[in-house]
Amino acid sequence: MPNSPSIEETTTEDPVQIGGPWRVVLWDDNEHTYEYVITMLMDVCKMTPEQAFGHAVEVDAQKKTVVFAGELEHAEHIQDLILNYGPDPLLPASKGSMSATLEE
């Protein structure tokens, strides 16, 4: 589409506040550190360190957090990036990526 932002574009707004009907939900586990979550959200969702830290706190406290809202194709892309981000190198028990689901 003409003038559509690319998936890689960054924003200073919280990605959850600018999106469409599809949400990417990140789920808590005990196999990833705050550092991993923050770095992953900055890389995948283009969040600021402050935004990523807020979502890391929320996923830890609430067991889930919505990290992206947008159109289906973009939400699927974000989910795929999360699911393929890999294990936390700081935790030997970490065997893979975090879990993320799509909700409408």
Side-chain angles (χ1 to χ4, degrees), residues 34 38 41 47-58:
Y34 268 67
I38 292 165
L41 291 175
M47 291 184 183
T48 65
E50 294 79 15
Q51 291 167 337
F53 177 76
H55 285 280
V57 170
E58 184 174 345

Side-chain angles (χ1 to χ4, degrees), residues 34-55:
Y34 268 67
E35 290 83 0
Y36 174 96
V37 176
I38 292 165
T39 301
M40 184 264 298
L41 291 175
M42 290 170 51
D43 288 348
V44 170
C45 298
K46 308 303 181 200
M47 291 184 183
T48 65
E50 294 79 15
Q51 291 167 337
F53 177 76
H55 285 280

Side-chain angles (χ1 to χ4, degrees), residues 71-84:
E71 297 303 318
L72 178 59
E73 182 178 320
H74 197 166
E76 287 175 329
H77 178 70
I78 295 295
Q79 179 194 28
D80 188 53
L81 291 174
I82 292 170
L83 295 176
N84 290 294

